[in-house]
């Protein structure tokens, strides 16, 4: 049988109100009474009913997190930042994987809202009009994490993806490269795809280097697409001297295809990317990349959400779109031309 607050009160010889005050850390309880209640809780194995407490307080101290790909180490680092700050502010996390599928993302968002979460973090996916409509039905705050909506109407925490790509390509240009290929993400993705392509294009145009269609190919952010796209580059009559990949996974795939075909990195072809996942320092040569502060993105997103949930924001003018700084990590995959 489930142990109830009534059972604890009877065992400890106190009122149910006193047990409630002890469970909720109310300071207005004598130390000896508190001790007696805790001993009764331990003997009976009582666990407070979170659902009942949520109904009473209209808060569940639970936050829903929608993650696009739980197997991607980028998002696991973001999730760690979220979890650490959530623990600090005594919130529990419900983490839901959406497999980068819009229909599943919408379903998961609605499921979490039905579970009466106090807030929602939507991580790293393309924010479509369907997402916006789902968010509009929410009675609780929502923060976009490692992504933004097109019109910046929803609170968000991210980096400047266009500038990150621009800075990466500038490293190649400053090292004398002019034939620079790109493995892009889908251009329908405003952050990792389109914005990073725009950064690549801007850096080339500023340097007076034409953007060549045959030097740009679309990948799916993962290692395997880096392998495949690089095979295309090796079939060109004029090989690129450098490859900019929109993600580290695709860059590592590029390095392995080059090595499998007898090319040396960076002597024959340089490779640079954006993300700075752990594998970037494990691959040989170690990958030069633009580091996204993934842990900080998660931590700042969760802190912003706690402010919104607890109505700590000062006024409507307080900044709701937070852009965190990135940094170029110079390793061994780029050589001077």
């Amino acid at each position: 049988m489930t142990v109830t607050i009534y059972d604890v009160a009877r065992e400890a010889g106190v009122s149910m109100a006193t047990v409630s005050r002890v469970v909720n850390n109310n300071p207005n309880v004598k130390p000896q009474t508190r001790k007696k209640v805790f001993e009764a809780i331990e003997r009976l194995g009582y666990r407070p009913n979170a659902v009942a407490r949520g109904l009473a307080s209209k808060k569940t101290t639970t936050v829903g997190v929608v993650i696009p790909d739980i197997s991607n180490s980028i998002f696991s680092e973001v999730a760690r930042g979220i979890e650490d700050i959530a623990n600090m502010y005594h919130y529990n996390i419900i983490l839901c994987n959406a497999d980068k599928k819009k229909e599943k993302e919408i379903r998961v968002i609605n499921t979490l809202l039905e579970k009466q979460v106090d807030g929602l973090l939507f991580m790293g996916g393309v924010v479509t009009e369907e997402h916006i409509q789902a968010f509009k039905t929410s009675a609780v705050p929502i923060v976009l994490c490692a992504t933004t909506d097109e019109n910046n109407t929803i609170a968000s925490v991210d980096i400047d993806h266009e500038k990150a790509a621009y800075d990466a390509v500038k490293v190649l240009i400053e090292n004398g490269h002019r034939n620079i290929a790109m493995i892009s993400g889908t251009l329908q993705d405003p952050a990792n795809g389109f914005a990073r392509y725009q950064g690549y294009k801007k850096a080339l145009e500023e340097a007076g280097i034409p953007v060549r269609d045959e030097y740009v190919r679309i990948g799916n952010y993962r290692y395997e697409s880096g392998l495949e796209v690089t095979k295309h580059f090796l079939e060109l009559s004029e090989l690129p001297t450098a490859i900019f990949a929109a993600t580290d996974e695709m860059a590592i795939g590029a390095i392995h295809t080059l090595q499998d075909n007898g090319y040396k990195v960076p002597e024959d072809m340089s490779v640079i990317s954006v993300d700075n996942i752990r594998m970037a320092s494990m691959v040989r040569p170690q990958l030069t990349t633009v580091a996204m502060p993934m842990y900080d993105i998660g931590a700042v997103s969760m802190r912003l959400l706690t402010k919104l949930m607890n109505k700590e924001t000062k006024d409507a003018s307080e900044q709701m779109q937070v852009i965190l700084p990135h940094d170029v990590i110079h390793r061994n995959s780029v050589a001077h031309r």
Side-chain angles (χ1 to χ4, degrees):
M1 297 255 327
T2 302
V3 178
T4 67
I5 192 171
Y6 174 78
D7 299 320
V8 175
R10 185 174 57 185
E11 178 75 12
V14 299
S15 68
M16 287 191 290
T18 298
V19 176
S20 178
R21 284 194 288 271
V22 171
V23 168
N24 290 293
N25 294 316
N26 189 308
N28 299 320
V29 181
K30 293 179 181 178
Q32 59 268 35
T33 303
R34 188 182 300 276
K35 181 173 180 292
K36 190 161 50 174
V37 171
F38 276 131
E39 287 172 349
I41 287 172
E42 189 173 344
R43 281 196 302 273
L44 297 175
Y46 170 70
R47 293 178 185 272
N49 187 323
V51 174
R53 291 167 70 186
L55 289 171
S57 66
K58 297 185 179 179
K59 287 187 177 182
T60 60
T61 62
T62 302
V63 168
V65 179
V66 182
I67 185 169
D69 183 358
I70 204 164
S71 67
N72 190 321
S73 60
I74 276 288
F75 298 119
S76 63
E77 187 69 5
V78 179
R80 194 167 69 87
I82 292 170
E83 177 72 17
D84 284 353
I85 301 303
N87 284 334
M88 187 183 300
Y89 287 89
H90 308 293
Y91 282 94
N92 299 306
I93 295 295
I94 301 177
L95 187 65
C96 297
N97 180 52
D99 294 322
K100 283 191 172 180
K101 295 177 181 176
K102 182 176 70 174
E103 295 76 14
K104 188 172 181 181
E105 288 172 350
I106 301 297
R107 188 169 70 250
V108 166
I109 289 167
N110 288 325
T111 299
L112 288 169
L113 294 176
E114 288 167 8
K115 291 185 180 296
Q116 305 297 309
V117 293
D118 294 339
L120 188 69
L121 288 168
F122 181 79
M123 192 190 302
V126 180
V127 180
T128 66
E129 187 57 37
E130 290 92 329
H131 290 92
I132 298 295
Q133 290 304 316
F135 294 149
K136 283 181 178 177
T137 66
S138 171
V140 299
I142 293 169
V143 172
L144 304 178
C145 185
T147 190
T148 57
D149 67 301
E150 189 175 358
N151 297 315
N152 287 328
T153 57
I154 301 171
S156 62
V157 180
D158 205 356
I159 68 163
D160 184 334
H161 292 273
E162 180 177 325
K163 183 67 164 57
Y166 173 88
D167 289 345
V169 177
K170 283 285 286 184
V171 169
L172 298 174
I173 293 169
E174 288 167 359
N175 275 278
H177 294 274
R178 293 187 64 81
N179 294 347
I180 301 170
M182 179 181 185
I183 309 176
S184 176
T186 172
L187 299 185
Q188 281 69 48
D189 179 348
N192 298 339
F194 186 70
R196 294 186 186 185
Y197 170 72
Q198 288 294 97
Y200 162 81
K201 184 179 175 184
K202 180 179 179 182
L204 293 185
E205 289 175 345
E206 278 190 5
I209 302 171
V211 179
R212 298 167 58 169
D213 290 343
E214 69 271 25
Y215 277 2
V216 179
R217 282 294 179 271
I218 306 299
N220 67 357
Y221 306 114
R222 304 309 297 268
Y223 171 81
E224 292 77 14
S225 68
L227 291 172
E228 291 304 314
V229 169
T230 305
K231 291 176 185 176
H232 159 80
F233 294 146
L234 295 181
E235 293 170 355
L236 297 175
S237 56
E238 186 176 11
L239 295 183
T241 63
I243 296 173
F244 164 59
T247 67
D248 286 351
E249 278 201 37
M250 293 195 296
I252 293 168
I255 288 173
H256 288 166
T257 289
L258 291 170
Q259 292 171 336
D260 290 347
N261 285 273
Y263 293 90
K264 292 182 179 181
V265 178
E267 293 86 350
D268 297 323
M269 203 175 296
S270 294
V271 179
I272 195 169
S273 60
V274 179
D275 280 343
N276 197 37
I277 62 175
R278 289 187 67 227
M279 282 297 296
S281 61
M282 296 178 185
V283 69
R284 293 296 181 270
Q286 292 180 321
L287 181 63
T288 296
T289 185
V290 177
M292 287 182 67
M294 299 312 298
Y295 178 90
D296 293 343
I297 288 174
V300 173
S301 296
M302 184 63 214
R303 179 63 185 113
L304 177 56
L305 187 61
T306 63
K307 286 185 174 183
L308 294 172
M309 290 187 296
N310 296 313
K311 296 180 171 56
E312 295 176 26
T313 50
K314 295 173 184 175
D315 53 54
S317 66
E318 185 167 337
Q319 186 182 16
M320 290 292 105
Q321 277 70 44
V322 180
I323 301 297
L324 297 181
H326 57 264
D327 190 27
V328 178
I329 307 297
H330 294 275
R331 295 194 179 103
N332 310 118
S333 65
V334 174
H336 191 75
R337 195 70 182 169

